[in-house]
Amino acid sequence: MGTVTPQIGVAASALLSIMMLAAIALAWGGWRMYSKHGDKRKGVLMWICAVILLANVAIWTI
């Protein structure tokens, strides 16, 4: 039996998890900024940043 080597290391895995948490926080903050505070431009920019983070995580995991 051979050993199984992970494709990404522990540090990269932790970084991807942090990026997912950041994307969730950005999406939530963008929603609050858009709806509650009335600053629509910042809310949309936060959503765009969250989508970019999610795309980066998808690229690195596929």
Side-chain angles (χ1 to χ4, degrees):
M1 280 210 173
T3 60
V4 177
T5 58
Q7 290 186 355
I8 61 174
V10 175
S13 179
L15 185 62
L16 291 174
S17 298
I18 292 169
M19 287 173 66
M20 284 298 297
L21 290 173
I24 291 168
L26 279 167
W28 179 75
W31 174 77
R32 296 230 349 139
M33 194 65 77
Y34 189 86
S35 64
K36 305 269 183 184
H37 298 288
D39 196 355
K40 296 188 185 310
R41 178 185 287 176
K42 286 184 184 176
V44 170
L45 288 174
M46 290 173 80
W47 286 337
I48 291 170
C49 187
V51 168
I52 290 170
L53 275 176
L54 290 174
N56 282 326
V57 170
I59 288 170
W60 279 96
T61 56
I62 293 177

